[in-house]
């Protein structure tokens, strides 16, 4: 990951609100309908209805990764008292493959921002081994940091995020 990509995570407050400072060591590509997620770019909720293609571009087939997708801005970015809302967890993704080769621990839930502009964050962790990742009791009040600690995942190896806000009827045309 380039220095600029890491800087957008700091400016976008993903580092701080969702993850601690880390050094990216793996490339991750996230695409919705062939449109790549670039940090801070906006996607309309109508374009992220189905789960994205998430490719792990590093490691090898003996390495395993866990992917977490959250929204740290619920119910709204000015007062995110329900932070974070969990949208997706996939574990045991072999290196050099994509999330379809992993085990879905929590099914994909499409983003539905109601108030303001929300960040939707993809965090990739390298597992120490193939392991049993248990689903959290709730999607609400999820903590990426606590989840990583409970599952001995350490710091992230890659992070990407996009912004989305509620679509009005006029914007969908």
């Amino acid at each position: 990951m380039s220095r600029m990509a890491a800087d957008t995570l700091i400016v976008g407050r993903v580092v701080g609100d969702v993850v601690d400072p880390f050094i990216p060591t793996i490339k991750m590509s996230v695409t919705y309908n062939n449109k790549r997620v670039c940090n801070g770019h906006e996607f309309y909720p109508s374009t992220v209805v189905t789960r994205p293609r998430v490719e792990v571009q590093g490691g090898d087939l003996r390495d395993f990764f866990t992917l977490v997708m959250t929204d740290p801005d619920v119910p709204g970015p000015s007062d995110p008292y329900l932070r974070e809302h969990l949208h997706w967890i996939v574990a045991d993704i072999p290196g050099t493959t994509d999330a379809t080769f992993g085990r879905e621990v929590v099914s994909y839930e499409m983003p539905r921002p109601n108030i303001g502009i929300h960040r939707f964050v993809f965090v990739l962790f390298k597992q120490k081994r193939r392991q049993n990742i248990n689903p959290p009791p709730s999607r609400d009040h999820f903590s990426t940091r606590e989840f990583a600690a409970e599952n001995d995942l350490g710091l992230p190896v890659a992070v990407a995020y996009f912004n989305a806000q509620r679509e009005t009827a006029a914007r969908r045309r």
Side-chain angles (χ1 to χ4, degrees):
M1 177 181 287
S2 70
R3 173 101 177 122
M4 192 172 89
D7 289 347
T8 60
L9 296 173
I10 295 167
V11 171
R13 297 183 344 270
V14 171
V15 170
D17 287 352
V18 181
V19 298
D20 292 324
F22 71 101
I23 297 170
T25 56
I26 295 286
K27 288 186 179 179
M28 172 178 65
S29 171
V30 181
T31 54
Y32 283 97
N33 302 316
N34 296 321
K35 185 176 178 190
R36 186 169 185 190
V37 169
C38 294
N39 291 338
H41 289 210
E42 185 171 0
F43 279 72
Y44 294 124
S46 59
T47 64
V48 295
V49 173
T50 59
R51 67 179 173 218
R53 178 176 174 86
V54 180
E55 295 176 77
V56 177
Q57 299 169 338
D60 63 37
L61 292 172
R62 294 168 296 186
D63 294 324
F64 294 97
F65 297 86
T66 294
L67 174 72
V68 173
M69 178 187 176
T70 72
D71 175 357
D73 299 316
V74 285
S78 61
D79 185 19
Y81 64 88
L82 295 175
R83 174 177 294 163
E84 300 165 48
H85 183 79
L86 177 64
H87 282 269
W88 197 27
I89 296 177
V90 182
D92 295 333
I93 304 167
T96 73
T97 69
D98 64 59
T100 61
F101 289 87
R103 182 176 51 83
E104 194 170 62
V105 176
V106 175
S107 63
Y108 181 79
E109 178 182 275
M110 69 176 268
R112 290 187 189 102
N114 282 328
I115 303 167
I117 299 171
H118 289 236
R119 296 164 293 165
F120 293 90
V121 183
F122 296 88
V123 183
L124 188 70
F125 296 96
K126 185 174 182 182
Q127 299 170 203
K128 291 182 171 75
R129 65 199 164 288
R130 194 173 214 145
Q131 66 191 78
N132 189 26
I133 304 266
N134 294 314
S138 170
R139 288 181 186 259
D140 295 321
H141 298 287
F142 179 79
S143 167
T144 300
R145 286 181 184 92
E146 288 175 17
F147 174 80
E150 289 166 4
N151 290 285
D152 195 27
L153 295 171
L155 289 173
V157 294
V159 175
Y161 80 101
F162 67 90
N163 295 326
Q165 59 186 311
R166 186 175 183 179
E167 270 181 275
T168 62
R171 285 178 69 192
R172 275 187 237 132
R173 288 188 200 137

